């Protein structure tokens, strides 16, 4: 055998030795132990976490509307005007605006459990402060209690999408987010229904104080029980992530994450900014309608405080059904923009119907139109959260949700004050048409949002990468190389010459698949 033939074989054997020793770093080939797809798992405890969150969110949102729905009763009890009582609801909106950024930062740095504990503790503290305020001369104390609850709300509103992403699979996130929002909506529904029942419009102030005190004690007891449950049960995150997207997000080191940089990236995201505006317009209208509902109903139907609460209940219950249906639909269809646009348009239609039927003199008609309005307007809440997460992945869900809610609070304060002044100067129809104009603007802007579903793309890419990678073990490859090496030693000159012209990667793949 000639020297050139042996030299070619020796060179070839050197290459194979390198391959044999460093199998795990061959470019373009993935082994069982190299770049394996991250393990994912769904835990049953995820349902306990989301329902516990929904429960203390319910307790907090109930208190948002408990004054406004019996506005006229609290006006007389504390001896203040209607606008002052409105501020007991608007304080929830005002507090949120300056606090959302530090709370979002805290959520990113400390995680879900810390935020849940602070929220439940503040909510519990606020309820007990209000227990001590059931006297006509203690309005500042009741305002302080409401302020504490409003601060707790800042720690609550941004969590549904974060809990859904951290705990739930890609086919469940929209449903889970809807359940998280569901608790907030159910709390508002109870806030519409229960206060008119527990606090009847009686003339005797001492009797009225007793009714108010009973209402505050019940709320404080529930809030305390939920706080204890959060301390015992609430967990930061599952040991194994539920999705490939969440596994990727976990690989980002805390040191490399900058909250300020994240905010700046979100502000440069045109589609997300448009969603922030449209979400604020829609939810701001809902806040205004909810806060002023008692005044609207009492103006056309005097003495119907209980039915005003029932109409509010109808709005929210219909919205809860809408939220769940929309969440399930999104998990199945992934049509985020189309669904959001359709629900937004129907919210506009529902508000127009409500505005023009309110003064017809038939309460049953108001119940129907209010339910239609609630189904779509309140049903929009989880849609906005989930669409935002899709548009901004891999940014923190708490940050994107926080900006959405901040927009909603700003517009909520503006719309509540403006609609109240318009109702005082003109009538309820003019006030509702004022809101309709802004919902129309929001519908047009929603149609302009680009549907850039980044989270869905990340999950699809992860699954595609897993499906196309060869499932070869290093042991199998090395065994194949060894066999081919023995064969190659006895090859003739022409075989070796042809083989030596292959690129290194092709030589290796040839060895593997021979």
């Amino acid at each position: 055998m000639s020297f050139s033939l042996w030299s070619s074989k020796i060179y070839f054997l050197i290459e194979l030795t390198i391959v044999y020793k460093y199998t795990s770093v061959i470019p373009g080939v993935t082994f069982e132990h190299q770049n394996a797809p991250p393990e994912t798992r769904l835990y049953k405890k995820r349902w306990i976490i989301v329902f516990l969150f929904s429960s203390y969110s319910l307790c907090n949102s109930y208190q948002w509307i408990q004054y406004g729905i019996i506005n006229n009763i609290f006006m007389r009890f504390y001896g203040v005007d209607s606008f002052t009582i409105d501020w007991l609801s608007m304080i929830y909106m005002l507090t949120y605006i300056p606090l959302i950024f530090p709370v979002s930062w805290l959520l990113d740095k400390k995680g879900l459990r810390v935020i849940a504990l602070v929220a439940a503790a503040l909510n519990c503290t606020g309820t007990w402060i209000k227990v001590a305020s059931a006297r006509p001369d203690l309005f500042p104390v009741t305002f302080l209690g409401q302020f504490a609850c409003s601060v707790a709300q800042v720690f609550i509103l941004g969590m549904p999408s974060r809990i859904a992403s951290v705990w739930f699979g890609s086919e469940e996130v929209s449903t889970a987010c809807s359940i998280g929002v569901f608790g907030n909506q159910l709390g508002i529904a109870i806030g519409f229904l229960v206060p008119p029942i527990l606090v009847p419009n009686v003339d005797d102030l001492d009797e009225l104080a007793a009714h108010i005190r009973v209402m505050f004690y019940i709320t404080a007891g529930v809030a305390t029980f939920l706080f204890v449950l959060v301390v015992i049960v609430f967990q930061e995150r599952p040991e194994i992530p539920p999705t490939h997207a969440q596994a990727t997000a976990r690989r980002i080191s805390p040191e490399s994450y900058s909250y300020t940089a994240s905010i700046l990236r979100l502000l440069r995201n045109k589609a997300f900014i448009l969603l922030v505006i449209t979400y604020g317009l829609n939810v701001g209208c809902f806040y205004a309608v909810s806060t002023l509902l008692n005044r609207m109903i009492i103006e056309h139907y005097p003495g119907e405080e209980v039915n005003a609460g029932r109409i509010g209940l109808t709005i929210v219950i219909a919205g809860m059904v809408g939220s769940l249906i929309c969440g399930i639909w999104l998990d199945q269809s992934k049509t985020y923009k189309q669904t959001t646009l359709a629900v937004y348009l129907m919210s506009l239609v529902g508000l127009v119907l409500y505005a023009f039927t309110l003064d017809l003199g038939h309460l049953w008609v108001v119940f129907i139109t209010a339910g239609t309005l609630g189904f779509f307007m309140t049903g929009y809440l989880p849609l906005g959260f989930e669409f935002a997460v899709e548009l901004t992945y891999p940014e923190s869900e708490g940050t994107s949700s926080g900006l959405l809610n901040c927009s909603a609070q700003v517009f909520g304060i503006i719309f509540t004050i403006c609609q109240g002044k318009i109702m005082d100067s003109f009538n309820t129809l003019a006030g509702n048409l004022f809101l309709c104009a802004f919902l129309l603007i929001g519908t047009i802007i929603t149609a302009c949002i680009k549907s850039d579903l980044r989270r869905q793309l990340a999950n699809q890419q992860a699954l595609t990468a897993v499906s196309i990678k060869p499932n070869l073990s290093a042991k199998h490859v090395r065994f194949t190389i060894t066999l081919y090496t023995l064969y190659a030693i006895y090859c003739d000159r022409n075989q070796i010459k042809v083989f030596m012209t292959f690129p290194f990667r092709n030589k290796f793949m040839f060895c593997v698949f021979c």
Side-chain angles (χ1 to χ4, degrees), residues 309-472:
R310 290 170 180 167
I311 291 171
L313 175 69
T314 303
I315 290 175
V316 181
I317 292 295
M320 289 159 56
V321 175
S323 293
L324 290 176
I325 291 175
C326 289
I328 295 171
W329 170 254
L330 281 186
D331 280 332
Q332 298 300 318
S333 69
K334 307 301 181 185
T335 55
Y336 288 87
K337 178 180 176 178
Q338 297 90 325
T339 305
T340 300
L341 180 59
V343 171
Y344 212 112
L345 178 60
M346 293 308 298
S347 297
L348 171 60
V349 173
L351 186 55
V352 170
L353 290 174
Y354 172 77
F356 282 100
T357 58
L358 185 60
D359 60 351
L360 293 181
H362 302 291
L363 269 175
W364 65 270
V365 175
V366 179
F367 272 95
I368 294 174
T369 55
T372 303
L373 171 64
F375 182 88
F376 294 105
M377 183 174 279
T378 314
Y380 173 80
L381 297 177
L383 293 180
F385 282 147
E386 284 300 295
F387 198 14
V389 174
E390 292 293 336
L391 294 175
T392 60
Y393 178 85
E395 305 297 341
S396 168
E397 299 87 353
T399 306
S400 60
S401 299
L403 289 173
L404 289 182
N405 283 316
C406 186
S407 174
Q409 311 306 321
V410 171
F411 282 111
I413 292 173
I414 294 172
F415 289 165
T416 301
I417 294 175
C418 291
Q419 187 183 14
K421 297 298 182 183
I422 292 172
M423 288 168 55
D424 291 337
S425 301
F426 300 96
N427 52 40
T428 56
L429 177 61
N432 285 321
L433 290 179
F434 165 79
L435 298 182
C436 290
F438 284 97
L439 278 185
L440 176 60
I441 295 171
T443 303
I444 295 171
I445 297 176
T446 300
C448 300
I449 297 176
K450 181 182 178 181
S451 184
D452 181 16
L453 307 182
R454 300 180 182 183
R455 182 174 63 179
Q456 294 302 315
L457 181 62
N459 279 322
Q460 290 170 4
Q461 288 176 339
L463 292 174
T464 302
V466 171
S467 66
I468 66 174
K469 289 179 181 177
N471 186 24
L472 299 175

Side-chain angles (χ1 to χ4, degrees), residues 58-69:
L58 177 156
C59 183
N60 180 264
S61 60
Y62 157 79
Q63 297 174 79
W64 167 60
I65 204 66
Q66 72 177 157
Y67 293 96
I69 196 58

Side-chain angles (χ1 to χ4, degrees), residues 73-74 76-77 134 198-213:
I73 296 175
F74 276 110
R76 186 166 59 85
F77 182 73
L198 293 179
V199 186
N201 192 1
V202 295
D203 294 330
D204 184 14
L205 288 183
D206 291 335
E207 183 182 353
L208 185 58
H211 290 302
I212 292 173
R213 191 174 294 109

Side-chain angles (χ1 to χ4, degrees), residues 3-305:
F3 174 77
S4 59
L5 178 60
W6 275 107
S7 62
S8 298
K9 288 188 175 184
I10 290 171
Y11 175 77
F12 171 55
L13 288 173
I14 290 172
E15 280 195 348
L16 289 177
T17 302
I18 295 171
V19 168
Y20 185 89
K21 185 174 182 180
Y22 299 104
T23 306
S24 63
V25 295
I26 295 173
V29 180
T30 302
F31 303 102
E32 289 174 350
H33 68 285
Q34 176 191 353
N35 295 331
E39 181 184 1
T40 61
R41 179 180 172 185
L42 294 177
Y43 293 82
K44 293 181 180 180
K45 190 175 182 179
R46 69 191 188 277
W47 298 109
I48 298 175
I49 297 296
V50 74
F51 279 111
L52 178 56
F53 165 77
S54 291
S55 298
Y56 72 78
S57 175
L58 177 156
C59 183
N60 180 264
S61 60
Y62 157 79
Q63 297 174 79
W64 167 60
I65 204 66
Q66 72 177 157
Y67 293 96
I69 196 58
I70 47 176
N71 184 295
N72 57 321
I73 296 175
F74 276 110
M75 282 172 55
R76 186 166 59 85
F77 182 73
Y78 285 116
V80 296
D81 60 19
S82 177
F83 187 65
T84 303
I85 298 298
D86 289 343
W87 269 110
L88 288 169
S89 295
M90 289 191 289
I91 189 63
Y92 264 62
M93 308 174 205
L94 183 64
T95 305
Y96 191 91
I97 297 168
L99 293 181
I100 180 53
F101 296 106
V103 170
S104 296
W105 176 85
L106 192 63
L107 176 60
D108 291 334
K109 292 297 182 181
K110 299 299 182 180
L112 287 171
R113 177 171 168 80
V114 170
I115 298 300
L117 287 172
V118 174
L122 283 171
N123 189 60
C124 181
T125 301
T127 59
W128 284 106
I129 292 174
K130 285 192 279 188
V131 167
S133 71
R135 276 175 28 195
D137 60 331
L138 294 180
F139 179 79
V141 177
T142 208
F143 194 90
L144 176 62
Q146 190 74 342
F147 172 75
C149 294
S150 71
V151 176
Q153 177 221 213
V154 185
F155 290 82
I156 292 173
L157 288 186
M159 288 183 67
S161 56
R162 180 66 171 263
I163 291 174
S165 295
V166 169
W167 281 93
F168 288 82
S170 58
E171 300 301 317
E172 303 172 328
V173 285
S174 297
T175 302
C177 185
S178 297
I179 294 172
V181 176
F182 181 92
N184 186 273
Q185 296 170 332
L186 182 59
I188 298 172
I190 296 173
F192 279 124
L193 178 66
V194 173
I197 297 174
L198 293 179
V199 186
N201 192 1
V202 295
D203 294 330
D204 184 14
L205 288 183
D206 291 335
E207 183 182 353
L208 185 58
H211 290 302
I212 292 173
R213 191 174 294 109
V214 168
M215 180 177 69
F216 287 159
Y217 266 120
I218 292 173
T219 308
V222 172
T224 304
F225 173 72
L226 291 172
F227 173 63
V228 172
L229 279 183
V230 170
V231 171
I232 296 172
V233 175
F234 203 93
Q235 184 178 329
E236 171 65 29
R237 67 181 188 181
E239 182 179 350
I240 299 172
T243 63
H244 296 298
Q246 186 60 213
T248 302
R250 287 192 185 185
R251 294 194 187 108
I252 301 175
S253 64
E255 293 77 14
S256 65
Y257 176 78
S258 170
Y259 179 71
T260 303
S262 177
I263 291 288
L264 293 176
R265 285 192 296 269
L266 290 176
L267 294 178
R268 289 193 294 267
N269 187 329
K270 181 180 177 181
F272 175 67
I273 292 301
L274 292 178
L275 180 62
V276 167
I277 295 171
T278 58
Y279 185 90
L281 292 172
N282 190 299
V283 181
C285 288
F286 169 71
Y287 287 161
V289 170
S290 299
T291 302
L292 301 173
L293 182 64
N294 174 268
R295 292 174 59 183
M296 291 189 225
I297 300 300
I298 295 301
E299 179 176 331
H300 296 289
Y301 306 92
E304 294 288 355
E305 290 89 358

